[in-house]
Amino acid sequence: MAAALALVFVPPGIAPLPAGRYSGSAGGFCYQESAQLGAATRNRWVRWSTSGDTVELVEESLDVNLLNNAVRLRIQGCPLLPGGVHLCEVQSHLVVLLVTAQTVHRLLLPHPARLYRSELITESQVQSVFTDISKIHIRDPSNYYVIPSVPGLAPNSVASAAWLSSDGEALFALPSASGGIFVLKLPPPDAPGSVSMVELKQSSVVQRFLTGWMPTAIRGDGGPSDVPVSLSVHCLDHDAFLFALCQDHKLRMWSYKDQMCLMVADLLEFMPVSRDLRLAAGTGHRLRLAFSQSLGLYLAVYMHAPKRGQFCVFQLVSTESNRYSLDHISSLFSSQETLVDFALTSAEIWALWHNEESQTVVKYINFEQNVAGQWNQVFVQPLPEEEVTVRQDQDPRETYLEYIFMPGRFTNAAIQKALQIFSQGSERHMDLTWDELRKEVTSAVENEFQGSVTEYECSPEEFWQLQVEFWSKFYACCLQYQEALSRPLALHLNPYTSMVCLLKKGSMSFLVPCSLVDHLYLLSNEHLLTEDDAAIFEDLEMSRDVVCLVQCLRLIGESISMEMAFIMEMACSRLQPPEKAAEQILEDLIANDTENVMEDIHSKLQEIRNPIHAIGLLIREMDYETDADMERAPHRALHMSLSQLFGSSTAAHVVCGGVAKICTVRFLLCRDLLILQQLLLRLGDPMVLGGGQLFQSQQDLLHRTSPLLLSYFLIRWASQCLASVVPVDTLESNLQHLSVLELADTTALTLHKLVSGPQTIVELFFQEVARKHIISRLFLQPNTSLAETSLNWPHLITSIVADFLPLLWPSNPSFLFPECLMGNCQYTQLQEYIRLLQPWCHVNMGSCCFMMGRCYLVMGEGHKVRPSLISFLWFGV
């Protein structure tokens, strides 16, 4: 993402408030047609975050790279209310409505459908809606208003809601200091008029009639009991329903047009209540709405109580005489400590918490189908390791640099912040590319280190130790800022595509569906024990066998030390047999088994009815080898509406990040499976292995698991290997040379310009070659399983990853990945790829030898070409 455009507005005549008055917040907005294949707003959304008196808005796209897509607006002296950013969409504009502690603001931006000459976007990069924001009249008095001191904002509530009327007026609903709600109305931007205000507040008589007498103790210092702590709005054609969840634990529904309270519901009726809870102000309650054309309006309320919380889901029901009531759908309990945010659909609740250890916890539940009330676990990306292990034979600088700059481990922002602190703020390192940042980090740490070393002479051992200390100090800074910046502030759920994201300060991460194998391996033991076996496979006995097998693998994985794990990593890297490494790790496990883990594993193995069958099934689930060279089939030209689908750098990062995550998990799973198979062979238990014939089957499975592990190791390596920046003229010359060779896919290669952020060779392959093959296969082939009119994120991302892995799978006939590397001058990376591949993969051997010869020529190692050419001719390719 490019640097955000910075704008500052100082509202006149306002006494500035401290910027730290409120905590930071975040949120997102999705265009109504973001799921439509033919729309300009397809796969496009806006995310925002607030900090003090500053709001940052970023427009994102999975299809195209957006130019000038970020803006940072500071409203000096006016801290933004948490959640005080509201976006609305009309035919010609995207409207941003902002609420601060002292003012309300309106920003009019062009709608994406009006930005371009055609609704179909065929370019790879286009202008964002924020491109001309500096021309927007932020200081125009008709687009902002100072909140009046009477009634004034309630001091103990940060709730707000904002929407556009059918006439284009901007309306802001805010909690009143005198109780109830007041609504400010800004006239349409193109029509003269003045700002008006109405109060939505029940009279004392009506209040008692609707809700009963209210104990004065509930007020305390919190002011009136009907102050809303959470506000939401549901817009109709010529009205708006305002829902106010108040600190007296009651939900009130207002008609803005009629200025009438249509419903009051006591939510304590739906939860176990103590006297203390009834008398306490409900300041921690939250409210969310979800609307479905077919099912109507759903409401979800989070009722906060000390050390526990409860979600209540309702459906709004219309009764006679313009009255409404709530139909209670479900109550869901949770013991998580701190709810950060939650999102609602017409079927699910997604929730984000911080637990007692300040770790991020994300779960979701289908509130209609899940009778047991069991939440589904989301596996959140863990923070990097607290310490980096540097062996005596390793260079500390190279080890730390490799670890810190491993793609996906630290964000650019976290490293820049750490660099600024480490350099004691002497320089500002802003908006550096990945390579520039690496050079600056190296220079900063080496300068600090050299300044210390010159003071006295030291031995090589002391020199090495000092290097570790200085790099460890810088790494600790990186870790500190990575933790702060990666802490999610909110959930973003697109109701049209079902995409769910975690929003952080300055970045976001995507939630993607987890495959069955990864789900079982990652699931904690307590959840694995309660897993519905019948949901895994149709055969209940086989399901139980697989669950027991995975529990054995988990026991092995949890017992493996870093030193043991390193044995397998080195074996794969040094082209040594993984079976031997697994045997060595097993011996170490047995020798250091102080907690009787082997006994637990043996006991668990006794529960498996057919271990050979279960292992074979697990292997089949992880194998992407195909018999036919389907990827070589000429893909049809993509329709214009599909030509840019998932074509942005963001999409490549998400898809390839998903592939890297799968390969990382499955490498560990295969490692543990190899160790378990070595244990089975060592046990030689007829009760487990079932005799000589099955013993031979076990040997066969062992030799099937080994190439599976090596395949995932290779793709994981490629997912972490950065692509080199290549000048355009070098690419042109390379393509001319390759065209003479008449390689099948050379004509499909295009001149590629790297983005400023780090790009892996897998991302390069996805953007250059694989994406078109995958989209063509998913959408243009007969009997396609994907709808041709709308997009569903869980289905689409799962299908894309499932089609991408066979294109990367080393033992498949397709050779598109190495060809792409050669076509894009990634010769150093191609050499390493073939080195890791050749000893064990016997597919495309002639092509590998030819490409290695090409690498030698380009890299100036012509003396090595002859052996490769001899092999190439021998294989007759």
Side-chain angles (χ1 to χ4, degrees):
M1 184 188 75
L5 174 67
L7 300 173
V8 179
F9 173 44
V10 185
I14 289 180
L17 294 174
R21 185 184 180 104
Y22 305 119
S23 60
S25 65
F29 164 81
C30 2
Y31 296 99
Q32 291 179 7
E33 294 187 344
S34 57
Q36 301 305 308
L37 272 177
T41 53
R42 181 188 68 197
N43 279 333
R44 198 160 164 170
W45 69 98
V46 176
R47 61 177 171 88
W48 54 264
S49 61
T50 65
S51 177
D53 58 5
T54 302
V55 57
E56 183 170 19
L57 297 137
V58 182
E59 189 180 21
E60 302 275 12
S61 172
L62 292 174
D63 294 347
V64 290
N65 294 320
L66 297 172
L67 305 174
N68 307 302
N69 67 323
V71 61
R72 190 178 294 114
L73 172 62
R74 183 184 180 198
I75 306 171
Q76 193 167 310
C78 299
L80 284 110
L81 264 60
V85 182
H86 309 270
L87 288 90
C88 307
E89 185 180 5
V90 292
Q91 191 171 14
S92 57
H93 290 94
L94 176 66
V95 184
V96 183
L97 303 175
L98 304 174
V99 184
T100 78
Q102 303 188 85
T103 55
V104 294
H105 301 260
R106 170 175 57 195
L107 305 177
L108 264 71
L109 304 167
H111 192 278
R114 298 291 176 267
L115 267 178
Y116 318 114
R117 286 173 292 183
S118 168
E119 283 237 348
L120 288 176
I121 299 174
T122 56
E123 297 87 359
S124 61
Q125 57 184 29
V126 297
Q127 296 294 338
S128 161
V129 295
F130 298 125
T131 294
D132 294 325
I133 195 168
S134 58
K135 300 176 184 176
I136 305 290
H137 300 295
I138 300 173
R139 296 169 179 80
D140 188 335
S142 65
N143 283 325
Y144 77 92
Y145 190 74
V146 179
I147 296 172
S149 56
V150 178
L153 275 177
N156 62 324
S157 175
V158 294
S160 70
W163 70 99
L164 297 178
S165 72
S166 54
D167 297 323
E169 301 150 326
L171 298 115
F172 301 84
L174 302 164
S176 170
S178 60
I181 307 165
F182 69 95
V183 181
L184 295 174
K185 181 172 71 175
L186 272 62
D190 54 353
S194 57
V195 176
S196 62
M197 184 185 76
V198 298
E199 282 196 80
L200 304 178
K201 182 173 170 57
Q202 297 167 213
S203 67
S204 57
V205 176
V206 176
Q207 171 86 354
R208 288 195 295 271
F209 174 73
L210 284 173
T211 67
W213 289 97
M214 187 61 50
T216 54
I218 196 174
R219 297 196 205 114
D221 295 331
S225 60
D226 61 343
V227 167
V229 295
S230 189
L231 285 167
S232 291
V233 63
H234 175 61
C235 295
L236 307 173
D237 288 339
H238 299 288
D239 196 6
F241 287 162
L242 261 175
F243 294 87
L245 180 55
C246 302
Q247 63 179 12
D248 60 2
H249 318 291
K250 290 181 169 59
L251 178 68
R252 294 172 172 84
M253 172 182 163
W254 293 84
S255 163
Y256 171 72
K257 183 183 73 172
D258 299 330
Q259 298 177 30
M260 181 184 295
C261 184
L262 305 179
M263 180 192 70
V264 179
D266 185 356
L267 298 177
L268 293 182
E269 294 178 3
F270 301 97
M271 63 183 297
V273 180
S274 64
R275 173 180 168 82
D276 291 342
L277 181 61
R278 185 172 290 280
L279 295 179
T283 55
H285 301 337
R286 310 279 185 91
L287 171 66
R288 298 289 184 270
L289 307 181
F291 179 71
S292 164
Q293 291 286 355
S294 57
L295 299 173
L297 186 66
Y298 283 80
L299 301 87
V301 173
Y302 174 74
M303 300 294 288
H304 174 73
K307 303 246 176 169
R308 61 187 170 91
Q310 177 180 334
F311 293 92
C312 294
V313 183
F314 305 96
Q315 193 170 16
L316 186 67
V317 179
S318 176
T319 60
E320 297 178 0
S321 306
N322 201 29
R323 291 288 178 185
Y324 292 82
S325 64
L326 297 177
D327 182 13
H328 181 235
I329 303 295
S330 180
S331 285
L332 308 163
F333 296 91
S334 173
S335 59
Q336 300 294 335
E337 279 296 319
T338 306
L339 180 74
V340 179
D341 191 21
F342 77 98
L344 174 72
T345 73
S346 56
E348 294 176 331
I349 287 178
W350 291 76
L352 166 65
W353 289 282
H354 287 153
N355 64 15
E356 292 178 345
E357 290 80 33
S358 295
Q359 295 172 327
T360 297
V361 177
V362 183
K363 294 187 180 183
Y364 69 97
I365 191 169
N366 185 307
F367 52 77
E368 289 191 320
Q369 298 177 1
N370 198 323
V371 180
Q374 183 179 327
W375 291 77
N376 298 292
Q377 189 175 354
V378 175
F379 307 109
V380 182
Q381 180 78 17
L383 286 169
E385 297 290 338
E386 289 190 8
E387 293 181 358
V388 176
T389 303
V390 185
R391 302 191 316 276
Q392 287 288 341
D393 61 337
Q394 288 180 310
D395 178 8
R397 179 179 66 181
E398 292 305 316
T399 304
Y400 272 97
L401 283 173
E402 183 180 346
Y403 194 87
I404 292 170
F405 286 90
M406 181 75 73
R409 186 164 282 160
F410 287 93
T411 63
N412 196 309
I415 300 174
Q416 286 187 12
K417 289 268 190 184
L419 182 57
Q420 191 174 345
I421 294 298
F422 191 82
S423 303
Q424 300 176 345
S426 57
E427 298 179 45
R428 291 186 63 83
H429 305 276
M430 301 298 291
D431 306 315
L432 299 174
T433 66
W434 202 242
D435 286 337
E436 290 169 345
L437 189 56
R438 185 181 178 118
K439 291 174 184 175
E440 288 290 337
V441 166
T442 305
S443 175
V445 179
E446 289 297 304
N447 287 343
E448 290 281 326
F449 169 65
Q450 294 296 341
S452 173
V453 169
T454 53
E455 295 176 6
Y456 59 92
E457 293 184 6
C458 58
S459 67
E461 292 78 14
E462 290 173 322
F463 185 86
W464 182 90
Q465 188 59 47
L466 275 173
Q467 273 192 306
V468 170
E469 287 178 12
F470 275 90
W471 279 102
S472 176
K473 178 183 172 184
F474 177 75
Y475 180 78
C477 290
C478 291
L479 201 60
Q480 176 187 344
Y481 283 106
Q482 181 69 17
E483 185 173 1
L485 293 174
S486 64
R487 181 182 291 266
L489 297 172
L491 279 164
H492 171 56
L493 190 152
N494 185 326
Y496 311 108
T497 66
S498 300
M499 181 180 74
V500 184
C501 302
L502 294 179
L503 302 178
K504 307 166 185 178
K505 188 176 181 180
S507 67
M508 66 188 300
S509 57
F510 298 76
L511 303 187
V512 298
C514 190
S515 71
L516 171 65
V517 171
D518 304 337
H519 168 75
L520 290 176
Y521 185 72
L522 292 170
L523 207 60
S524 58
N525 284 330
E526 60 267 25
H527 286 96
L528 190 60
L529 291 171
T530 59
E531 187 73 6
D532 183 6
D533 296 329
I536 300 173
F537 300 108
E538 291 183 6
D539 185 340
L540 187 59
E541 291 292 330
M542 180 50 60
S543 295
R544 288 173 181 162
D545 278 1
V546 170
V547 169
C548 286
L549 176 63
V550 172
Q551 285 178 311
C552 291
L553 299 180
R554 286 288 301 272
L555 285 169
I556 291 172
E558 289 166 0
S559 304
I560 291 178
S561 65
M562 290 183 64
E563 291 78 12
M564 296 177 194
F566 185 72
I567 293 172
M568 184 62 77
E569 295 281 345
M570 284 296 99
C572 296
S573 179
R574 293 172 178 172
L575 312 181
Q576 297 165 353
E579 300 95 328
K580 295 291 184 184
E583 194 172 3
Q584 184 182 341
I585 295 172
L586 176 62
E587 290 174 357
D588 291 349
L589 283 173
I590 293 172
N592 296 285
D593 185 17
T594 57
E595 299 180 5
N596 298 321
V597 174
M598 290 300 144
E599 187 178 323
D600 294 340
I601 293 171
H602 191 265
S603 174
K604 185 62 65 177
L605 284 171
Q606 302 297 328
E607 300 177 25
I608 303 178
R609 180 177 54 91
N610 191 336
I612 302 300
H613 192 187
I615 292 171
L617 197 149
L618 205 58
I619 290 173
R620 285 197 300 276
E621 286 287 323
M622 294 189 289
D623 196 348
Y624 285 90
E625 186 171 315
T626 58
D627 295 329
D629 190 4
M630 292 183 299
E631 295 79 17
R632 278 292 184 192
H635 60 267
R636 294 161 55 188
L638 290 178
H639 188 270
M640 286 181 67
S641 64
L642 296 172
S643 63
Q644 294 302 329
L645 185 63
F646 270 63
S648 72
S649 299
T650 300
H653 184 70
V654 175
V655 172
C656 299
V659 167
K661 182 67 177 175
I662 289 173
C663 293
T664 300
V665 171
R666 293 190 181 178
F667 172 77
L668 299 177
L669 196 155
C670 290
R671 178 200 67 187
D672 298 344
L673 188 58
L674 268 180
I675 296 168
L676 182 67
Q677 288 172 310
Q678 291 287 10
L679 177 63
L680 285 172
L681 290 173
R682 179 171 293 212
L683 288 172
D685 191 340
M687 293 295 293
V688 176
L689 292 175
Q693 187 176 354
L694 287 181
F695 182 83
Q696 183 59 44
S697 299
Q698 173 61 16
Q699 286 276 19
D700 296 340
L701 287 176
L702 190 72
H703 296 307
R704 284 177 59 194
T705 307
S706 182
L708 204 62
L709 176 137
L710 291 168
S711 295
Y712 282 118
F713 177 83
L714 185 62
I715 302 174
R716 188 194 69 176
W717 166 83
S719 299
Q720 298 169 345
C721 179
L722 289 177
S724 304
V725 180
V726 181
V728 173
D729 57 346
T730 305
L731 279 174
E732 288 177 340
S733 174
N734 187 58
L735 286 177
Q736 288 174 3
H737 287 145
L738 293 179
S739 64
V740 177
L741 300 173
E742 297 182 355
L743 293 178
D745 279 2
T746 303
T747 54
L749 296 171
T750 55
L751 292 181
H752 182 73
K753 190 176 186 304
L754 286 173
V755 292
S756 61
Q759 185 189 40
T760 67
I761 56 175
V762 171
E763 289 172 348
L764 173 67
F765 174 54
F766 179 79
Q767 289 184 290
E768 290 292 300
V769 177
R771 183 186 66 86
K772 292 178 182 177
H773 281 264
I774 295 167
I775 299 302
S776 172
R777 178 173 160 78
L778 292 179
F779 285 90
L780 302 181
Q781 300 301 323
N783 305 318
T784 178
S785 61
L786 291 170
E788 295 198 6
T789 54
S790 62
L791 302 173
N792 177 271
W793 167 260
H795 189 187
L796 185 58
I797 188 67
T798 302
S799 300
I800 288 175
V801 170
D803 269 32
F804 190 26
L805 273 166
L807 290 173
L808 291 166
W809 203 249
S811 57
N812 280 340
S814 165
F815 209 57
L816 296 179
F817 182 43
E819 284 179 7
C820 174
L821 296 182
M822 186 165 67
N824 284 277
C825 299
Q826 305 296 314
Y827 286 106
T828 303
Q829 296 86 338
L830 181 57
Q831 273 186 298
E832 180 64 9
Y833 177 83
I834 295 174
R835 184 190 76 83
L836 292 170
L837 180 73
Q838 274 188 322
W840 58 272
C841 182
H842 305 299
V843 180
N844 297 313
M845 293 177 70
S847 299
C848 284
C849 289
F850 167 75
M851 287 197 169
M852 189 61 91
R854 172 75 182 161
C855 290
Y856 288 149
L857 286 173
V858 172
M859 304 296 287
E861 297 178 300
H863 60 282
K864 296 181 180 180
V865 172
R866 186 170 298 277
S868 292
L869 285 179
I870 292 172
S871 300
F872 171 68
L873 293 171
W874 188 83
F875 283 108
V877 176

